[in-house]
Amino acid sequence: MIGRKSYVRELEKFIDTPFIKVITGIRRCGKSSVLLMLRDRLLERGVPEERIIYINLESFEHAGILNAKNLYDYAVSKIHAPKERHYLLLDEIQDVESWEKCVNALTVDRNVDIYLTGSNSHLLSSELSTYIAGRYVQMPVFTLSFEEYLQFQSAYLPEMYLNRKDSFARYLRRGGFPGIHTFDNSEETALTIVRDIYSSIILRDTIMRHNIRDAELLERVIRYAFDNIGNTFSGKSVADYFKNQQRKVDINTVYNYLNALESAFILHRVPRYNLRGKEILKTQEKFYLSDISLLYATMGYRDSLIGGILENIVFLELKRRGYAVYIGKADTKEIDFVAEKHGQRLYAQIAYKLESPQTAEREFGTLASIKDQYPKFVVTMDDFWREPVKGVEHIHISDFLLDTRF
């Protein structure tokens, strides 16, 4: 198992603290692996194996655990030394009814340190979450970063030597779901695997969880969002599009479907930020995918979307590194990303290639017009290099994704 060290390090900060550790992310992004790596780390720290209780709630072995009482009784039955601290690892908890009641009761009744995973971003948004309000920390897990992909490639395909840019080209075509990078396979096989993951998410985490009756309309909304990767739009934009297609759709239905796709981590909503007024704008957001392979698996490779695809990859990298990410608005100009963390900020413009002086002027000029000292990058797939323009750095996307300066 390839260690995803950044996540394990983050969890280690909270071992034996009174907080419930909540690990969230899209299905098959590696949450279970992170939980098992944490178990290994606890063993390395000297915790006896019998005091680590791992419960995979997707396993048929635990099919009878349907509600908080079932889960509580099962967990308590595994605690054989009540006075000793036990470590409870609950994998994919979202389908256990009223699970928050169980977790709350265990923290009160037993000496336990609790870690749990879930594939729904609204895991902690229900009224039941008041049971653990203020007593949990949340850690998102994403599909493989480019750096992690290189580690997988080195471990599982050591005979495949590729330079950095060729490796990025392979990553660009296959995405980052860990399972497809553990063996040698064709692009067709990889996308078949992703298509099955996608179908499972749509059925279990959107249609069933949100009681969606019109699956065909949901697919249309998904295709619209995927086809507009890197473009600003709103629920009204989607409704107007369907109206032009002679299909009347209620705007609230569109918003409900977009919210359902967000909660299942298929989409990430990115708000716009007015740099002059220093306020979040309420309209014309962007939506990015949790992994670009979802686009390929459902709509095939789309050359016309390469700019948005590269934006998507950079967006996910910024989120992995803990940044709050916005679409910037400076007067009439748009900045692809304004990223903030711990009082620091960076700006990034993303383009496929700077194929003309006009394109270069637009990308560099937009960032150069921002009069502060924070780092500014134009990120492209150009193979040639330039000196910084007015303090704005030009960097190949593969280098940006591995850059340790931010």
Side-chain angles (χ1 to χ4, degrees), residues 53-96:
I53 305 167
Y54 172 74
I55 305 173
N56 182 353
L57 292 158
E58 286 193 316
S59 168
F60 192 73
E61 178 185 357
H62 302 122
I65 300 177
L66 303 175
N67 55 47
K69 184 64 165 62
N70 299 152
L71 181 57
Y72 180 87
D73 291 343
Y74 184 82
V76 168
S77 74
K78 296 295 182 180
I79 299 174
H80 302 301
K83 292 184 179 181
E84 300 293 336
R85 167 148 291 201
H86 285 65
Y87 298 81
L88 184 58
L89 282 53
L90 304 172
D91 204 358
E92 296 291 2
I93 201 171
Q94 67 275 344
D95 291 327
V96 176

Side-chain angles (χ1 to χ4, degrees), residues 76-275:
V76 168
S77 74
K78 296 295 182 180
I79 299 174
H80 302 301
K83 292 184 179 181
E84 300 293 336
R85 167 148 291 201
H86 285 65
Y87 298 81
L88 184 58
L89 282 53
L90 304 172
D91 204 358
E92 296 291 2
I93 201 171
Q94 67 275 344
D95 291 327
V96 176
E97 183 183 353
S98 303
W99 63 266
E100 297 96 329
K101 290 183 178 180
C102 167
V103 168
N104 181 64
L106 286 168
T107 60
V108 172
D109 299 342
R110 294 292 187 273
N111 182 11
V112 290
D113 190 15
I114 299 178
Y115 304 77
L116 56 91
T117 76
S119 298
N120 191 287
S121 68
H122 294 168
L123 196 67
L124 297 163
S125 63
S126 69
E127 291 181 7
L128 280 172
S129 66
T130 57
Y131 280 92
I132 59 173
R135 294 190 291 113
Y136 68 86
V137 291
Q138 189 168 1
M139 187 186 79
V141 172
F142 299 89
T143 57
L144 298 181
S145 68
F146 181 48
E147 180 181 16
E148 290 175 321
Y149 162 74
L150 292 176
Q151 294 170 0
F152 270 60
Q153 180 178 282
S154 176
Y156 292 109
L157 299 171
E159 71 285 353
M160 181 187 293
Y161 174 77
L162 297 173
N163 62 37
R164 179 182 294 184
K165 291 177 183 176
D166 288 341
S167 290
F168 176 74
R170 196 171 191 270
Y171 176 70
L172 176 64
R173 296 283 289 190
R174 293 166 184 256
F177 279 105
I180 66 175
H181 297 298
T182 58
F183 64 104
D184 192 12
N185 56 65
S186 65
E187 287 184 7
E188 181 180 355
T189 299
L191 293 185
T192 298
I193 295 169
V194 175
R195 197 172 297 115
D196 289 342
I197 295 171
Y198 169 82
S199 298
S200 174
I201 296 168
I202 292 299
L203 177 62
R204 298 172 64 180
D205 296 328
T206 51
I207 292 175
M208 292 175 64
R209 180 172 296 280
H210 296 274
N211 298 314
I212 291 175
R213 297 180 180 179
D214 194 340
E216 187 265 343
L217 177 59
L218 176 65
E219 285 286 352
R220 284 174 173 260
V221 171
I222 292 169
R223 286 182 172 271
Y224 181 94
F226 284 15
D227 204 33
N228 282 275
I229 182 175
N231 297 325
T232 56
F233 67 88
S234 64
K236 185 178 183 304
S237 306
V238 183
D240 289 345
Y241 169 79
F242 286 130
K243 184 178 180 180
N244 291 334
Q245 300 293 313
Q246 282 72 55
R247 175 160 186 176
K248 187 176 181 181
V249 177
D250 180 69
I251 189 171
N252 290 323
T253 300
V254 173
Y255 278 117
N256 288 337
Y257 284 7
L258 289 173
N259 288 336
L261 294 168
E262 277 190 90
S263 72
F265 296 106
I266 290 178
L267 296 177
H268 292 276
R269 185 191 305 257
V270 187
R272 294 166 72 227
Y273 179 73
N274 187 332
L275 293 172

